[in-house]
Amino acid sequence: MGLCVNTVFQRARRWLCTAVATASGLLAAGASANDTLKFSFLPETGVVTLAFADRSGEVVALAGRDDAGAPRLAFLVADDGGHRIVERRLPEDAVAIDAGPAGDGDALFVLCADRVERLLSIDGAFEPLAQVESLYRGRSFAPLTASLNVAEDIDADGHSELLVQGFDQLAVIDGANYDRTRLLDLPSIRRSFERAQNYRPVRSASALLDETPSIIAVRGDDLLRFRLDPGIEPVAADTEALELGLSSEREIERFYNGDPELDQRNATLHEPELLTDLNGDDLPDLVTLETISTGVFDKQTTYRIHLANEDGGYDTPPDTVISSTGYQFFVRTVQLEANRTAIVSPGVRIGIRTIIGALFSRSVTLDIAVHTADDSGVIAEAPSAEIRAKVRFDFGSGQAEFPTVGFGDLDGDGRQDLILKRGRDRLGWRRNLGDGQFDSRGTEIDLRAPKDGSNVFTADLDGDGVDEVIARYDMQDGEDLRRTLRIARR
């Protein structure tokens, strides 16, 4: 669910690089590196963390392609006091991986061109579950992704339903036996970026409306609600206008393609950004993104949070408005502690001084704002924590680093601590003090920071209640680190 982080970053990086071209401890011990592991292939976008029934700790799954372009799968697991990578072949037409409940434990689900397959253990066999008609046809050499919401337990029976977006419909397949399918009238979004057709799934989420499992979707300025009974058969499908002033698909396309006829001195884009439960009432709340351009260097980003009402709709005005000056790399939700959610929004303020400074320092300041929910679940407009970090630029290649903003429970207290880049090439973490506050003095992690900050993640691999910090390295990090993964723990 939600817009892919890499997609949002590509927007910000494109705008930022264009601007550059135009200007020509509370804990005494840190975390130390323990294992260095190698892949035979280069993992691609995203990771999936799951709990197989036959293992005590979490398992991390990564997908990618080998040198011949064949899809590959790697599992990172704890084993005999250390860690190891177990590699598997994926089906030749694999598109995406996802995880979801499957009885006693989780399963890994693989979306292929015309079907979905399932894996119940790292040493098990892939099991075909259902034939589907998706957006993805035939064998593809595009990057495999972990950002599609393929598996979700909609009716809370402990078995994941399958959600597969087609060109004209969304297929919802019952998770009990995978033998019943409901086709929802929900066409995919079609856009033409740089004269190339692009299709993407509609933003959707599951919910309980009047105790009935349902699908809620936002498509343009339309709100669509499909009510399903426990057997995933239709009860009703409702459609109404959101009336939130969202931009049309044509306006979005013109904005991102840099249409020369679009006046950048007065351009506004308003689109849905996230559809997810923020206040724990099992209803998907809506976060919209508004970008106002008053010139090449002058951008302002505003997030508007609309908490869902009991009918699964959204009221105006918004419950929370979060504004900043500059470009947002992404917005994400984090369960900082039990019953306390936060929205984290890293951004870069762009102006003439920033660009000139970046030409000399090869870096700009990243402002990280943490907006925490109160006891009623409403996200505060004022940030509970504001943290500054650096993002570096390679002027030889024109590439910008993706910022490292990660979370994990590194001390076993049940709270999500903050992981950031420390200095030029190290990682550090700040302890979560509660109520959205973090230790102002960071503790170093004995890991080299990857150029792409999204390659830093956490998992409790050995099941001891403390997350390990995991960094993987790709082509940006040099040939000596390429296809390498390193793990640190206290």
Side-chain angles (χ1 to χ4, degrees):
M1 290 181 291
L3 187 64
C4 176
V5 166
N6 287 328
T7 301
V8 180
F9 173 64
Q10 291 297 332
R11 303 194 309 225
R13 186 171 65 182
R14 182 167 61 243
W15 289 335
L16 192 54
C17 290
T18 299
V20 171
T22 303
S24 235
L26 288 180
L27 296 175
S32 59
N34 295 94
D35 284 321
T36 298
L37 305 173
K38 282 282 191 180
F39 300 97
S40 69
F41 66 95
L42 187 64
E44 293 168 339
T45 51
V47 301
V48 167
T49 302
L50 65 165
F52 283 130
D54 60 352
R55 303 198 66 88
S56 59
E58 291 182 324
V59 174
V60 174
L62 306 95
R65 298 183 186 278
D66 62 20
D67 294 337
R72 299 282 295 182
L73 177 68
F75 290 113
L76 172 62
V77 298
D79 190 32
D80 295 330
H83 304 90
R84 64 188 175 104
I85 288 176
V86 179
E87 294 191 2
R88 300 283 305 271
R89 287 188 177 275
L90 279 171
E92 288 294 313
D93 57 349
V95 173
I97 61 174
D98 196 9
D104 294 334
D106 291 340
L108 183 77
F109 295 88
V110 183
L111 174 63
C112 302
D114 60 359
R115 69 198 180 284
V116 176
E117 299 193 7
R118 181 177 66 180
L119 192 66
L120 295 174
S121 72
I122 61 173
D123 300 317
F126 286 102
E127 170 192 8
L129 291 182
Q131 295 295 119
V132 298
E133 292 187 10
S134 72
L135 292 175
Y136 316 98
R137 303 292 176 87
R139 187 184 183 199
S140 171
F141 287 91
L144 285 92
T145 179
S147 63
L148 296 180
N149 182 36
V150 178
E152 186 174 347
D153 186 7
I154 298 174
D155 53 5
D157 67 348
H159 295 274
S160 297
E161 274 67 53
L162 305 178
L163 297 91
V164 180
Q165 178 71 64
F167 289 98
D168 301 310
Q169 296 172 314
L170 175 70
V172 181
I173 304 171
D174 188 3
N177 298 301
Y178 299 101
D179 58 354
R180 303 172 71 182
T181 300
R182 166 61 178 158
L183 297 177
L184 307 184
D185 186 13
L186 195 59
S188 60
I189 299 295
R190 184 180 69 176
R191 294 177 181 168
S192 175
F193 286 99
E194 299 176 355
R195 300 178 182 177
Q197 291 297 320
N198 178 282
Y199 296 85
R200 68 170 178 82
V202 176
R203 214 173 308 282
S204 64
S206 65
L208 288 175
L209 300 181
D210 296 329
E211 300 183 353
T212 301
S214 305
I215 298 290
I216 295 177
V218 174
R219 190 181 190 281
D221 199 26
D222 290 329
L223 173 66
L224 301 99
R225 292 173 293 196
F226 298 88
R227 296 176 184 267
L228 313 167
D229 72 18
I232 315 299
E233 291 293 335
V235 173
D238 304 321
T239 303
E240 64 180 33
L242 278 173
E243 298 181 354
L244 299 180
L246 297 178
S247 302
S248 68
E249 295 299 323
R250 172 58 180 158
E251 290 171 320
I252 295 172
E253 180 181 330
R254 290 183 63 198
F255 197 93
Y256 290 146
N257 275 334
D259 190 330
E261 297 181 1
L262 185 66
D263 188 352
Q264 288 288 338
R265 295 170 298 179
N266 186 24
T268 300
L269 183 70
H270 190 196
E271 59 182 326
E273 183 77 356
L274 288 178
L275 192 63
T276 187
D277 182 14
L278 296 175
N279 58 357
D281 63 357
D282 294 325
L283 293 173
D285 306 304
L286 176 65
V287 181
T288 66
L289 166 66
E290 181 182 78
T291 304
I292 299 175
S293 171
T294 56
V296 174
F297 298 113
D298 298 312
K299 310 285 183 182
Q300 179 172 320
T301 300
T302 299
Y303 293 105
R304 290 182 170 84
I305 302 173
H306 301 264
L307 298 180
N309 55 42
E310 60 183 11
D311 296 324
Y314 305 98
D315 300 324
T316 55
D319 297 273
T320 304
V321 177
I322 299 174
S323 296
S324 66
T325 300
Y327 300 112
Q328 298 300 306
F329 279 83
F330 57 84
V331 61
R332 63 181 290 187
T333 62
V334 178
Q335 193 74 28
L336 289 181
E337 53 193 284
N339 303 319
R340 192 169 299 279
T341 302
I343 281 186
V344 181
S345 175
V348 174
R349 298 181 182 182
I350 299 300
I352 295 294
R353 292 182 180 178
T354 303
I355 299 304
I356 293 175
L359 291 171
F360 290 96
S361 66
R362 298 195 175 187
S363 66
V364 294
T365 299
L366 180 72
D367 298 311
I368 304 167
V370 180
H371 297 262
T372 308
D374 60 21
D375 293 337
S376 65
V378 177
I379 302 291
E381 293 189 0
S384 59
E386 293 181 282
I387 301 162
R388 308 195 106 187
K390 290 289 186 180
V391 177
R392 294 188 60 80
F393 290 87
D394 183 343
F395 287 92
S397 64
Q399 295 295 309
E401 291 182 3
F402 190 96
T404 301
V405 183
F407 290 87
D409 184 1
L410 305 191
D411 55 4
D413 65 355
R415 296 171 176 166
Q416 293 291 298
D417 306 304
L418 177 61
I419 302 170
L420 298 169
K421 191 171 182 180
R422 186 183 178 97
R424 295 191 62 177
D425 60 0
R426 309 303 296 174
L427 290 175
W429 66 288
R430 300 188 182 189
R431 187 186 184 195
N432 186 337
L433 304 178
D435 297 327
Q437 300 291 321
F438 295 89
D439 183 9
S440 60
R441 299 182 62 184
T443 304
E444 184 166 305
I445 300 172
D446 186 19
L447 283 176
R448 177 172 171 177
K451 297 291 186 183
D452 185 345
S454 66
N455 287 338
V456 177
F457 50 96
T458 62
D460 183 8
L461 297 171
D462 52 11
D464 64 352
V466 177
D467 286 338
E468 285 78 31
V469 182
I470 305 163
R472 72 173 183 87
Y473 307 92
D474 56 26
M475 292 180 290
Q476 298 181 59
D477 300 296
E479 190 62 32
D480 58 330
L481 284 176
R482 181 173 175 261
R483 300 183 178 181
T484 298
L485 180 146
R486 289 179 176 172
I487 305 168
R489 61 184 175 186
R490 291 183 58 231

Short mmCIF file of all heavy atoms in Angstrom, two decimals, residues 297-302 323-328 347-351 367:
data_model
loop_
_atom_site.label_atom_id
_atom_site.label_comp_id
_atom_site.label_asym_id
_atom_site.label_seq_id
_atom_site.Cartn_x
_atom_site.Cartn_y
_atom_site.Cartn_z
N PHE A 297 13.25 27.07 -8.04
CA PHE A 297 13.87 26.78 -6.76
C PHE A 297 12.90 26.80 -5.60
O PHE A 297 13.29 26.50 -4.47
CB PHE A 297 15.00 27.77 -6.48
CG PHE A 297 16.11 27.73 -7.48
CD1 PHE A 297 16.33 28.80 -8.32
CD2 PHE A 297 16.92 26.63 -7.58
CE1 PHE A 297 17.36 28.77 -9.25
CE2 PHE A 297 17.95 26.59 -8.52
CZ PHE A 297 18.17 27.66 -9.35
N ASP A 298 11.68 27.22 -5.82
CA ASP A 298 10.75 27.43 -4.73
C ASP A 298 9.63 26.40 -4.77
O ASP A 298 8.72 26.48 -5.60
CB ASP A 298 10.17 28.85 -4.79
CG ASP A 298 11.24 29.92 -4.65
OD1 ASP A 298 12.06 29.79 -3.73
OD2 ASP A 298 11.26 30.85 -5.47
N LYS A 299 9.72 25.43 -3.87
CA LYS A 299 8.70 24.39 -3.76
C LYS A 299 8.26 24.29 -2.31
O LYS A 299 9.07 24.41 -1.39
CB LYS A 299 9.23 23.02 -4.22
CG LYS A 299 9.94 23.01 -5.57
CD LYS A 299 8.96 23.11 -6.72
CE LYS A 299 9.71 23.01 -8.06
NZ LYS A 299 8.81 23.15 -9.20
N GLN A 300 7.00 24.04 -2.13
CA GLN A 300 6.49 23.80 -0.78
C GLN A 300 5.63 22.56 -0.79
O GLN A 300 4.79 22.38 -1.67
CB GLN A 300 5.67 25.00 -0.27
CG GLN A 300 5.10 24.76 1.13
CD GLN A 300 4.46 25.99 1.71
OE1 GLN A 300 4.96 27.09 1.55
NE2 GLN A 300 3.33 25.81 2.37
N THR A 301 5.86 21.68 0.19
CA THR A 301 5.14 20.42 0.29
C THR A 301 4.22 20.45 1.50
O THR A 301 4.64 20.87 2.59
CB THR A 301 6.12 19.25 0.41
OG1 THR A 301 6.96 19.22 -0.74
CG2 THR A 301 5.39 17.93 0.51
N THR A 302 3.00 20.00 1.32
CA THR A 302 2.04 19.94 2.41
C THR A 302 1.36 18.57 2.41
O THR A 302 0.87 18.13 1.38
CB THR A 302 0.96 21.03 2.29
OG1 THR A 302 1.59 22.32 2.34
CG2 THR A 302 -0.05 20.93 3.42
N SER A 323 3.29 20.88 6.94
CA SER A 323 3.87 21.65 5.85
C SER A 323 5.38 21.76 6.00
O SER A 323 5.92 21.73 7.11
CB SER A 323 3.27 23.06 5.79
OG SER A 323 1.89 23.03 5.51
N SER A 324 6.05 21.90 4.86
CA SER A 324 7.49 22.13 4.87
C SER A 324 7.87 22.85 3.59
O SER A 324 7.13 22.83 2.61
CB SER A 324 8.27 20.80 4.97
OG SER A 324 8.07 20.03 3.81
N THR A 325 9.03 23.48 3.61
CA THR A 325 9.54 24.16 2.44
C THR A 325 10.61 23.29 1.80
O THR A 325 11.57 22.91 2.44
CB THR A 325 10.13 25.52 2.82
OG1 THR A 325 9.11 26.31 3.42
CG2 THR A 325 10.65 26.25 1.59
N GLY A 326 10.43 22.96 0.53
CA GLY A 326 11.41 22.15 -0.17
C GLY A 326 10.82 20.86 -0.68
O GLY A 326 9.60 20.73 -0.84
N TYR A 327 11.67 19.87 -0.94
CA TYR A 327 11.28 18.59 -1.52
C TYR A 327 11.27 17.51 -0.45
O TYR A 327 12.20 17.38 0.33
CB TYR A 327 12.26 18.19 -2.62
CG TYR A 327 12.34 19.17 -3.75
CD1 TYR A 327 13.50 19.90 -3.97
CD2 TYR A 327 11.25 19.36 -4.60
CE1 TYR A 327 13.58 20.80 -5.01
CE2 TYR A 327 11.33 20.27 -5.63
CZ TYR A 327 12.50 20.99 -5.84
OH TYR A 327 12.56 21.89 -6.87
N GLN A 328 10.24 16.71 -0.44
CA GLN A 328 10.15 15.57 0.46
C GLN A 328 10.67 14.32 -0.27
O GLN A 328 10.26 14.04 -1.39
CB GLN A 328 8.71 15.34 0.90
CG GLN A 328 8.11 16.51 1.66
CD GLN A 328 8.88 16.84 2.92
OE1 GLN A 328 9.09 15.97 3.76
NE2 GLN A 328 9.31 18.08 3.05
N GLY A 347 13.05 15.77 4.31
CA GLY A 347 12.97 16.69 3.18
C GLY A 347 14.21 17.56 3.07
O GLY A 347 15.00 17.67 4.01
N VAL A 348 14.37 18.19 1.91
CA VAL A 348 15.49 19.08 1.65
C VAL A 348 14.93 20.44 1.24
O VAL A 348 14.08 20.52 0.34
CB VAL A 348 16.40 18.54 0.53
CG1 VAL A 348 17.47 19.56 0.17
CG2 VAL A 348 17.04 17.23 0.96
N ARG A 349 15.38 21.49 1.89
CA ARG A 349 14.98 22.82 1.52
C ARG A 349 15.85 23.31 0.37
O ARG A 349 17.08 23.31 0.47
CB ARG A 349 15.10 23.78 2.71
CG ARG A 349 14.21 23.39 3.88
CD ARG A 349 14.34 24.37 5.02
NE ARG A 349 13.51 23.96 6.16
CZ ARG A 349 13.41 24.65 7.28
NH1 ARG A 349 14.09 25.77 7.43
NH2 ARG A 349 12.64 24.21 8.27
N ILE A 350 15.21 23.74 -0.71
CA ILE A 350 15.92 24.13 -1.91
C ILE A 350 15.83 25.64 -2.09
O ILE A 350 14.75 26.22 -2.01
CB ILE A 350 15.35 23.43 -3.16
CG1 ILE A 350 15.50 21.92 -2.99
CG2 ILE A 350 16.06 23.88 -4.42
CD1 ILE A 350 16.92 21.45 -2.83
N GLY A 351 16.97 26.25 -2.34
CA GLY A 351 17.03 27.67 -2.62
C GLY A 351 18.38 27.98 -3.25
O GLY A 351 19.25 27.10 -3.36
N ASP A 367 16.35 17.54 6.53
CA ASP A 367 15.54 17.78 7.73
C ASP A 367 14.58 16.62 7.91
O ASP A 367 13.75 16.34 7.03
CB ASP A 367 14.76 19.08 7.60
CG ASP A 367 15.67 20.29 7.48
OD1 ASP A 367 16.60 20.41 8.29
OD2 ASP A 367 15.46 21.11 6.56
#
